[in-house]
Amino acid sequence: LEKESNSFLGWRALRMCLDQPELLITQLRAIYRASIHGKARIMFPMVSRIEELQQAKILLAQVLADLDQQGIPYNSNVEVGVMVEVPSAALMAQTLAREVDFFSIGTNDLTQYTLAVDRTNEKVAHLYDPLHPAVIKLISMVTTAAKAHRIWTGLCGELAGDPLATVLLVGLGVEELSMPAPMVAQVKSAIRKLTMEKAAAIADEVLGMGTAQEVRAYLKQSYNVS
């Protein structure tokens, strides 16, 4: 790949695969062939507009047609979703939800793109905060759209493994959290402390807040996670 001055905003993920469809076709074909041996899902990364998803689904349909023609078995019930890591995807969640089976929110990149902060840059890393109200509102937009279209929402990134954020995420409607194994016990403990009704109430309160500091202080007070 050629060197780019700003690779985070450049030619990567689904953008690259749509420009070189043989790369995407090979991966999709492999996933479907493997799907008869165990559960598989397909998630398109860095979707920023509906046209990208629609183009990817055309290639997906082509793969299935080729497999059918060649008599190669596959599981026809593989779920297809998108990674929500670009603010435009969150803002367009109602439209994207009509096209997929699930959302997976990538909070690390979503936070960086939303706050215009490179968390690896020591001069601005202190501005990176996934509990910033803007990020929380985008997460809420995604889960609201998912509920409206009866699809599920997962979430990955550092926020998913932060016990302080657990009940907030559950209250917002996130149904699956992906985290490092050592964090599972703490997150389970945080979930057990409150009911779904209380979690939803906490989420509603947080959505009205203006700073990450206010959010963090309220969460600590609400369910005593240090």
Side-chain angles (χ1 to χ4, degrees):
L1 298 178
E2 296 179 4
K3 185 176 181 179
E4 295 179 296
S5 60
N6 192 339
S7 60
F8 278 106
L9 301 179
W11 197 56
R12 58 186 296 218
L14 189 57
R15 296 171 178 178
M16 180 180 68
C17 288
L18 291 176
D19 284 345
Q20 300 184 89
E22 67 280 0
L23 293 177
L24 185 56
I25 288 173
T26 298
Q27 294 179 67
L28 294 174
R29 183 181 173 90
I31 293 171
Y32 271 103
R33 292 186 65 182
S35 67
I36 63 170
H37 302 290
K39 188 171 184 178
R41 294 172 180 157
I42 293 171
M43 181 168 63
F44 294 115
M46 203 178 175
V47 172
S48 61
R49 59 188 68 200
I50 187 67
E51 296 91 340
E52 293 169 335
L53 175 59
Q54 291 170 337
Q55 291 174 42
K57 290 180 69 177
I58 289 173
L59 293 177
L60 189 152
Q62 178 183 322
V63 166
L64 296 184
D66 289 343
L67 292 175
D68 287 335
Q69 185 177 12
Q70 296 169 28
I72 297 175
Y74 61 89
N75 180 356
S76 60
N77 295 317
V78 172
E79 288 186 314
V80 176
V82 295
M83 175 74 89
V84 180
E85 53 194 323
V86 179
S88 63
L91 293 167
M92 291 290 292
Q94 290 286 353
T95 301
L96 293 172
R98 303 188 188 105
E99 301 277 346
V100 295
D101 300 308
F102 69 92
F103 288 136
S104 181
I105 304 172
T107 55
N108 291 352
D109 278 344
L110 182 61
T111 301
Q112 290 193 112
Y113 287 131
T114 301
L115 304 182
V117 171
D118 178 1
R119 61 181 182 149
T120 66
N121 184 329
E122 62 181 18
K123 292 184 177 180
V124 297
H126 66 283
L127 299 174
Y128 173 90
D129 195 332
L131 288 179
H132 189 288
V135 178
I136 295 171
K137 285 181 172 64
L138 289 176
I139 293 173
S140 178
M141 292 181 70
V142 175
T143 56
T144 297
K147 291 176 185 176
H149 293 274
R150 298 183 179 181
I151 64 174
W152 60 273
T153 303
L155 187 142
C156 60
E158 293 178 2
L159 191 64
D162 182 356
L164 184 64
T166 299
V167 176
L168 169 61
L169 296 174
V170 172
L172 288 172
V174 175
E175 298 172 76
E176 181 179 287
L177 298 169
S178 176
M179 70 197 70
M183 299 306 301
V184 171
Q186 293 184 54
V187 169
K188 281 186 175 181
S189 175
I191 290 174
R192 291 190 181 109
K193 289 182 179 181
L194 294 172
T195 64
M196 285 297 298
E197 291 77 11
K198 182 63 175 176
I202 287 175
D204 286 342
E205 188 72 22
V206 167
L207 285 170
M209 295 180 177
T211 69
Q213 292 79 8
E214 188 180 1
V215 170
R216 190 168 280 103
Y218 175 74
L219 293 177
K220 288 180 178 180
Q221 176 184 351
S222 295
Y223 50 93
N224 193 28
V225 178
S226 58

